[in-house]
Amino acid sequence: MIFDTHAHYDDEAFDDDREQILERMRNRGVEYIVNVGASIHSCKTTIGLTRRFPYVYGALGVHPDDVADLTEEDYEWLERSVYKPKIVAVGEIGLDYHWNENKDQQIKAFERQMQIAREAQLPIIIHSRDAAKDTYDVMKANRDDEMGGIVHCFSYTKEMAKQFMDMGFYLGIGGVVTFSNARKLQEVVEYMPMDKMVIETDCPYMSPVPNRGKRNDSFNLPYVVNKVAEIKGISPTKVIDITCENAKNVYGIGRKRI
């Protein structure tokens, strides 16, 4: 069954039918979902989803676009909350220089949240946009190879893919791989070993072709699976089996952490 490693079902885009969608997941071939926090508010709603749905797990963290207003009280709440049941990662955290230029502030928040993950012995979910070198350098300086995790919505070159994978990180592949103008990502998928891949929606964003531009959800993941299978020359079933096992490994779901 499919494992959606990165979703935002707490988003307001699902306010009208969230319960109905999530209740149908297992009947439609989705075994697990990790709902990922992006703000303190969405971290709290993520915890609520993990309590209501047995197959929904959570990650808690603050997206770089939202770190400007973080207080010491917020960090202390995160430090406590990552120990709650079914919280399997810290994220999404990282750097995003596309819209914001507060680089120093983003780096400080990134490092602080990595420390929270280290103390809790949890993997991290990395958001990185237009910030490849700084993201890698900060991760390297903070010995992220000791924690591991996922570089979510990977969008860089094969060379950067190798650097992140050499640190022990998985790459999150989603709907963008189906786009006709996504040759760079398709080359990464062709290059990378399957044992470093996980699949994700980032829903409600990043719907794959043929639903590009519409609200995304986990039911669209077969389009991602089929495109990966086409690129790698393997069966869709094999893509599902390998990426599901990888996701369980990185998040420690269905097995004991060592």
Side-chain angles (χ1 to χ4, degrees):
M1 294 177 75
I2 289 174
F3 194 134
D4 186 350
T5 60
H6 194 115
H8 300 284
Y9 280 107
D10 59 295
D11 190 276
E12 62 183 10
F14 295 105
D15 283 353
D16 291 337
D17 58 356
R18 180 179 297 110
E19 304 291 324
Q20 298 94 309
I21 288 177
L22 288 173
E23 285 170 359
R24 299 202 313 266
M25 285 296 165
R26 284 213 162 154
N27 292 331
R28 296 279 294 273
V30 179
E31 183 175 12
Y32 292 114
I33 296 163
V34 172
N35 204 78
V36 180
S39 65
I40 294 297
H41 173 73
S42 69
C43 287
K44 292 176 179 178
T45 52
T46 290
I47 291 169
L49 289 177
T50 67
R51 290 171 174 165
R52 294 206 301 279
F53 297 95
Y55 41 86
V56 175
Y57 288 75
L60 305 184
V62 178
H63 186 289
D65 285 348
D66 288 292
V67 299
D69 297 325
L70 280 176
T71 65
E72 185 60 29
E73 183 180 1
D74 291 330
Y75 283 119
E76 290 173 0
W77 181 86
L78 278 172
E79 287 169 353
R80 297 190 304 271
S81 297
V82 294
Y83 292 96
K84 288 183 180 294
K86 297 179 71 182
I87 300 305
V88 295
V90 172
E92 60 187 283
I93 63 175
L95 303 175
D96 191 322
Y97 297 163
H98 187 74
W99 300 114
N100 297 306
E101 292 298 325
N102 56 336
K103 295 183 180 182
D104 290 343
Q105 191 175 44
Q106 287 190 35
I107 290 171
K108 288 178 182 177
F110 189 16
E111 292 182 325
R112 179 71 181 270
Q113 293 182 92
M114 284 191 286
Q115 184 58 33
I116 291 171
R118 184 181 302 282
E119 290 174 0
Q121 296 185 314
L122 289 173
I124 54 179
I125 300 172
I126 301 293
H127 173 102
S128 181
R129 187 178 186 189
D130 296 345
K133 185 179 186 305
D134 279 5
T135 302
Y136 178 79
D137 289 347
V138 172
M139 290 169 66
K140 196 74 173 174
N142 286 271
R143 307 186 317 280
D144 282 2
D145 57 313
E146 297 175 1
M147 288 185 288
I150 297 169
V151 182
H152 147 67
C153 198
F154 188 81
S155 61
Y156 297 130
T157 63
K158 289 191 297 185
E159 290 73 23
M160 284 307 307
K162 182 179 187 305
Q163 288 185 279
F164 286 120
M165 290 188 294
D166 284 349
M167 289 181 69
F169 277 73
Y170 295 84
L171 306 185
I173 306 299
V176 174
V177 75
T178 68
F179 297 176
S180 60
N181 61 349
R183 184 58 195 159
K184 182 173 69 172
L185 178 58
Q186 291 165 4
E187 289 175 351
V188 168
V189 169
E190 184 177 24
Y191 160 77
M192 68 183 295
M194 283 299 302
D195 64 3
K196 287 297 183 182
M197 182 187 298
V198 294
I199 58 173
E200 61 179 38
T201 54
D202 199 25
C203 66
Y205 316 106
M206 301 294 185
S207 283
V209 174
N211 294 321
R212 186 175 182 179
K214 300 178 182 178
R215 187 186 72 173
N216 199 10
D217 61 45
S218 305
F219 300 141
N220 279 324
L221 280 174
Y223 296 115
V224 177
V225 167
N226 289 340
K227 187 63 179 181
V228 170
E230 175 191 322
I231 293 169
K232 301 296 282 186
I234 58 179
S235 70
T237 299
K238 191 167 186 179
V239 173
I240 290 171
D241 290 346
I242 294 173
T243 57
C244 185
E245 187 68 13
N246 292 343
K248 290 177 180 178
N249 283 335
V250 68
Y251 287 137
I253 293 175
R255 61 209 63 199
K256 292 181 179 179
R257 292 189 185 278
I258 297 174

